[in-house]
Structures are given as C-alpha cells and as structure tokens.
Amino acid sequence: MNEFNNIKTVMLLAPHTDDGEFGCGGTMAKLLEAGVRVVYIAFSTCQASIPYGLPGDILAREMNLSMDSFGIPAEDRVILDYPVRNFNAHRQEILDDMIKLNRKYKPDMVLMPSAHDIHQDHHTIAEEAMRAFKRVTLLGYEVPWNNYTFNNQAYITLEERHIQKKIAAIACYDTQKERNYSDEAFTWGLARTHGVQIGAEYAEVFEVVRWIL
C-alpha cells in the first residue's frame, strides 16, 4: 500500500554521491517500501576529493552498492560528473539537466538539500532545484553538519527497519567510514531526536519549500 497518497515518483537530488543517504536514507527506505518510485540523481562523483591510490570511480561504485541495498533499479540511478566544489560555475548546465530530468521522470515530489545548506555545491543544487521544479512539491532534507539554520517543518515518521536500511546504505561508502557522521550511533540518535520532537520513535525532518496538494 502507498501511504503517501498520490505520490508515485520521488526524485532525490544528491549533490554528491552519498548526500541522499545521509540526508534522508530512512525516508528513501519508507518510500520504496510503500511502492513509491525513487529516482536518485547524483551530480558529482567527487573525483578531485578521492584519496590518492583509490580508483577515480570508487564513489560511483559505492553509490551503486548503496542503491542495490535499497533495491533501486539501474534505470532509476543517474550519475552526473560536475566538478566537486565548483557547481556554481556550472549553474546553467545544472539547471538544464534538472529540466531534462523533470521532463523525463515527471516526479510528484523532489527531495533536495536545504536552502540553508552552507556547502557551496549543496546550495547551488538547492537554488537551481527551486527553478527547475517550481511546479512540484519540494522538500529540503537535513545535513546537520552543513546547517547553521534549519526549519523543522515536515516530519516523516520511521520504524527501526527504515533506520537499519539507512545505516546499511551508508555502510556501502567505505571511503567515508572515518567521518564522524558515518557513525551508526549518530544516525540512530538523530532519528530518535526527531522522533521525540513529534512523539514518535524515529523520524527524519524536512524544510517545506513548496507543498502541492
């Protein structure tokens, strides 16, 4: 059963290959469980940031392992190749790609980085998404380490199994395992914190950019 009413297709915009899982991996799991199509768009494989000695496509490989863990088919994964930390210089191309993706997949909802995200690439994706998807429901997901400000406006309640799916997906990114926000305890704690805020066990939170009923 699709408990998300008339939402059939959700597009997730990830500036870099792992941002979607960190930002709303539990929601991804719940959407897929409910029969919603989730289309994952990664705008960069961050080749300039890959440690010396690792293959240039390592993050793309890890992303595909993550998508496999969710059960997202190959046709619903798009990996683009914009240069990390330089999205601002490619705004028009990014906007053009988003418009094409909108026409191709016709999403009912788009999940994007918060407009308050201070990472330059994340902020560019958020700004261009508001142009490309202005006739679509838009929610901004939370990346706490990049936000001075975040408006807790929409919550999606989650079950333990959804958090476990999120953790399994994050674990596919072996190159990121040393980052403190990759720690399982952090993922559980954040989901628990947002659950407590609304009287649920677990939740993820979003900013409402545009909500179309």
Side-chain angles (χ1 to χ4, degrees):
M1 183 182 72
N2 181 359
E3 60 186 288
F4 291 93
N5 298 318
N6 294 321
I7 297 173
K8 296 179 181 178
T9 300
V10 170
M11 182 176 289
L12 199 159
L13 305 180
H16 313 119
T17 45
D18 54 9
D19 289 322
E21 292 91 321
F22 282 118
C24 53
T27 298
M28 289 173 64
K30 186 170 184 176
L31 287 165
L32 290 160
E33 182 180 87
V36 178
R37 183 185 189 187
V38 175
V39 179
Y40 194 105
I41 315 296
F43 287 84
S44 178
T45 56
C46 304
Q47 292 193 25
S49 298
I50 292 172
Y52 178 78
L54 292 177
D57 66 345
I58 185 64
L59 285 170
R61 294 185 200 177
E62 291 176 342
M63 182 191 132
N64 280 313
L65 289 173
S66 172
M67 296 299 101
D68 288 344
S69 77
F70 279 117
I72 294 175
E75 61 266 24
D76 290 344
R77 315 171 190 180
V78 177
I79 303 178
L80 302 173
D81 196 27
Y82 288 100
V84 64
R85 296 184 297 277
N86 284 284
F87 284 16
N88 188 56
H90 299 272
R91 281 184 175 275
Q92 189 58 50
E93 298 101 306
I94 288 171
L95 177 59
D96 290 343
D97 276 334
M98 287 184 181
I99 291 169
K100 291 173 186 175
L101 290 163
N102 192 14
R103 289 172 180 164
K104 178 176 180 179
Y105 291 104
K106 299 178 175 60
D108 305 295
M109 176 185 286
V110 172
L111 305 179
M112 59 175 237
S114 163
H116 296 106
D117 195 309
I118 62 169
H119 190 292
Q120 60 268 48
D121 291 348
H122 294 215
H123 194 69
T124 297
I125 293 299
E127 288 188 331
E128 298 311 320
M130 287 189 281
R131 295 182 175 94
F133 300 100
K134 60 188 176 183
R135 296 181 178 87
V136 179
T137 291
L138 276 169
L139 299 181
Y141 54 78
E142 181 188 36
V143 181
W145 49 95
N146 285 348
N147 289 113
Y148 288 133
T149 300
F150 189 89
N151 296 316
N152 291 19
Q153 294 170 322
Y155 289 82
I156 293 181
T157 60
L158 302 172
E159 303 294 335
E160 183 175 323
R161 64 185 181 276
H162 303 134
I163 309 302
Q164 289 171 338
K165 277 276 192 181
K166 177 176 183 173
I167 287 171
I170 290 171
C172 293
Y173 291 93
D174 194 56
T175 56
Q176 309 302 306
K177 65 183 179 182
E178 300 303 321
R179 297 183 184 273
N180 55 6
Y181 49 78
S182 291
D183 186 85
E184 287 188 28
F186 174 76
T187 300
W188 284 111
L190 187 64
R192 179 64 177 149
T193 296
H194 291 318
V196 167
Q197 290 171 338
I198 56 170
E201 189 168 8
Y202 302 108
E204 285 177 336
V205 67
F206 299 84
E207 291 183 333
V208 177
V209 181
R210 177 155 290 178
W211 187 269
I212 300 172
L213 298 176

Short mmCIF file of all heavy atoms in Angstrom, two decimals, residues 8-12 27-29 31-32 36-40 67 72-73 76-77 111:
data_model
loop_
_atom_site.label_atom_id
_atom_site.label_comp_id
_atom_site.label_asym_id
_atom_site.label_seq_id
_atom_site.Cartn_x
_atom_site.Cartn_y
_atom_site.Cartn_z
N LYS A 8 3.62 9.08 -6.62
CA LYS A 8 4.07 7.87 -7.31
C LYS A 8 5.57 7.86 -7.58
O LYS A 8 6.20 6.81 -7.56
CB LYS A 8 3.31 7.73 -8.63
CG LYS A 8 1.81 7.54 -8.46
CD LYS A 8 1.11 7.43 -9.80
CE LYS A 8 -0.40 7.25 -9.61
NZ LYS A 8 -1.11 7.20 -10.92
N THR A 9 6.13 9.05 -7.85
CA THR A 9 7.56 9.14 -8.16
C THR A 9 8.19 10.27 -7.35
O THR A 9 7.70 11.40 -7.37
CB THR A 9 7.78 9.41 -9.66
OG1 THR A 9 7.22 8.34 -10.42
CG2 THR A 9 9.28 9.52 -9.97
N VAL A 10 9.24 9.94 -6.63
CA VAL A 10 10.03 10.93 -5.89
C VAL A 10 11.42 10.99 -6.50
O VAL A 10 12.04 9.96 -6.75
CB VAL A 10 10.12 10.56 -4.39
CG1 VAL A 10 11.12 11.46 -3.67
CG2 VAL A 10 8.75 10.66 -3.74
N MET A 11 11.90 12.19 -6.75
CA MET A 11 13.26 12.39 -7.24
C MET A 11 14.11 12.95 -6.11
O MET A 11 13.72 13.92 -5.46
CB MET A 11 13.29 13.33 -8.43
CG MET A 11 14.69 13.53 -9.02
SD MET A 11 14.67 14.57 -10.51
CE MET A 11 13.87 13.44 -11.67
N LEU A 12 15.24 12.31 -5.86
CA LEU A 12 16.15 12.76 -4.81
C LEU A 12 17.38 13.37 -5.46
O LEU A 12 18.07 12.71 -6.24
CB LEU A 12 16.53 11.57 -3.92
CG LEU A 12 17.09 11.92 -2.55
CD1 LEU A 12 16.96 10.75 -1.61
CD2 LEU A 12 18.55 12.36 -2.61
N THR A 27 13.85 7.88 4.94
CA THR A 27 12.68 8.22 4.12
C THR A 27 12.73 7.48 2.79
O THR A 27 11.69 7.00 2.29
CB THR A 27 12.62 9.74 3.90
OG1 THR A 27 12.46 10.38 5.17
CG2 THR A 27 11.48 10.13 2.97
N MET A 28 13.92 7.36 2.20
CA MET A 28 14.07 6.57 0.98
C MET A 28 13.53 5.16 1.21
O MET A 28 12.77 4.63 0.39
CB MET A 28 15.53 6.51 0.56
CG MET A 28 16.11 7.79 0.02
SD MET A 28 17.91 7.66 -0.27
CE MET A 28 17.96 6.40 -1.57
N ALA A 29 13.95 4.55 2.31
CA ALA A 29 13.53 3.18 2.61
C ALA A 29 12.01 3.08 2.77
O ALA A 29 11.38 2.15 2.26
CB ALA A 29 14.23 2.69 3.88
N LEU A 31 9.69 5.16 1.54
CA LEU A 31 9.04 5.39 0.25
C LEU A 31 9.05 4.14 -0.61
O LEU A 31 8.03 3.73 -1.17
CB LEU A 31 9.75 6.53 -0.49
CG LEU A 31 9.53 7.95 0.03
CD1 LEU A 31 10.58 8.89 -0.55
CD2 LEU A 31 8.13 8.44 -0.31
N LEU A 32 10.21 3.52 -0.70
CA LEU A 32 10.34 2.31 -1.52
C LEU A 32 9.45 1.19 -0.99
O LEU A 32 8.82 0.46 -1.75
CB LEU A 32 11.80 1.87 -1.57
CG LEU A 32 12.72 2.80 -2.39
CD1 LEU A 32 14.18 2.58 -1.99
CD2 LEU A 32 12.53 2.57 -3.88
N VAL A 36 6.57 3.50 -3.77
CA VAL A 36 6.87 4.74 -4.48
C VAL A 36 8.18 4.56 -5.27
O VAL A 36 9.14 3.97 -4.78
CB VAL A 36 7.02 5.92 -3.51
CG1 VAL A 36 7.39 7.20 -4.25
CG2 VAL A 36 5.73 6.12 -2.71
N ARG A 37 8.19 5.05 -6.49
CA ARG A 37 9.42 5.02 -7.28
C ARG A 37 10.35 6.12 -6.79
O ARG A 37 9.95 7.28 -6.69
CB ARG A 37 9.08 5.24 -8.76
CG ARG A 37 10.29 5.16 -9.68
CD ARG A 37 9.90 5.51 -11.12
NE ARG A 37 11.00 5.24 -12.05
CZ ARG A 37 10.99 5.58 -13.34
NH1 ARG A 37 9.94 6.21 -13.85
NH2 ARG A 37 12.02 5.29 -14.11
N VAL A 38 11.58 5.76 -6.47
CA VAL A 38 12.58 6.73 -6.04
C VAL A 38 13.67 6.80 -7.10
O VAL A 38 14.32 5.80 -7.39
CB VAL A 38 13.18 6.36 -4.67
CG1 VAL A 38 14.31 7.33 -4.31
CG2 VAL A 38 12.10 6.36 -3.59
N VAL A 39 13.84 7.98 -7.68
CA VAL A 39 14.87 8.22 -8.69
C VAL A 39 15.99 9.03 -8.03
O VAL A 39 15.75 10.11 -7.51
CB VAL A 39 14.30 8.99 -9.90
CG1 VAL A 39 15.40 9.25 -10.92
CG2 VAL A 39 13.15 8.22 -10.52
N TYR A 40 17.19 8.47 -8.04
CA TYR A 40 18.32 9.08 -7.34
C TYR A 40 19.24 9.75 -8.35
O TYR A 40 19.76 9.10 -9.25
CB TYR A 40 19.07 8.00 -6.57
CG TYR A 40 20.06 8.50 -5.53
CD1 TYR A 40 19.75 8.43 -4.18
CD2 TYR A 40 21.30 9.00 -5.90
CE1 TYR A 40 20.66 8.86 -3.22
CE2 TYR A 40 22.21 9.44 -4.95
CZ TYR A 40 21.88 9.37 -3.61
OH TYR A 40 22.78 9.80 -2.65
N MET A 67 22.60 1.80 -3.77
CA MET A 67 21.33 1.69 -4.48
C MET A 67 20.87 0.22 -4.54
O MET A 67 19.68 -0.08 -4.40
CB MET A 67 21.46 2.24 -5.90
CG MET A 67 21.78 3.73 -5.99
SD MET A 67 20.54 4.83 -5.26
CE MET A 67 21.34 5.22 -3.68
N ILE A 72 16.94 -0.11 -5.60
CA ILE A 72 16.63 0.87 -6.64
C ILE A 72 17.22 0.37 -7.95
O ILE A 72 18.44 0.14 -8.03
CB ILE A 72 17.19 2.26 -6.27
CG1 ILE A 72 16.46 2.80 -5.04
CG2 ILE A 72 17.05 3.23 -7.45
CD1 ILE A 72 16.99 4.11 -4.52
N PRO A 73 16.42 0.20 -8.99
CA PRO A 73 16.94 -0.35 -10.26
C PRO A 73 17.87 0.61 -10.97
O PRO A 73 17.84 1.82 -10.73
CB PRO A 73 15.67 -0.62 -11.07
CG PRO A 73 14.65 0.32 -10.52
CD PRO A 73 14.96 0.46 -9.06
N ASP A 76 16.80 3.91 -12.50
CA ASP A 76 16.40 4.99 -11.60
C ASP A 76 17.60 5.59 -10.87
O ASP A 76 17.45 6.23 -9.82
CB ASP A 76 15.37 4.48 -10.60
CG ASP A 76 14.03 4.19 -11.26
OD1 ASP A 76 13.81 4.67 -12.38
OD2 ASP A 76 13.21 3.46 -10.66
N ARG A 77 18.80 5.36 -11.43
CA ARG A 77 20.02 5.96 -10.89
C ARG A 77 20.67 6.80 -11.99
O ARG A 77 20.88 6.31 -13.09
CB ARG A 77 21.02 4.88 -10.46
CG ARG A 77 20.44 3.74 -9.68
CD ARG A 77 21.48 2.62 -9.49
NE ARG A 77 20.88 1.42 -8.94
CZ ARG A 77 21.55 0.30 -8.69
NH1 ARG A 77 22.86 0.25 -8.96
NH2 ARG A 77 20.93 -0.75 -8.19
N LEU A 111 13.14 15.77 -3.41
CA LEU A 111 13.88 15.96 -2.16
C LEU A 111 15.23 16.56 -2.52
O LEU A 111 15.96 16.01 -3.35
CB LEU A 111 14.05 14.62 -1.44
CG LEU A 111 12.76 13.85 -1.14
CD1 LEU A 111 13.08 12.53 -0.45
CD2 LEU A 111 11.81 14.68 -0.30
#
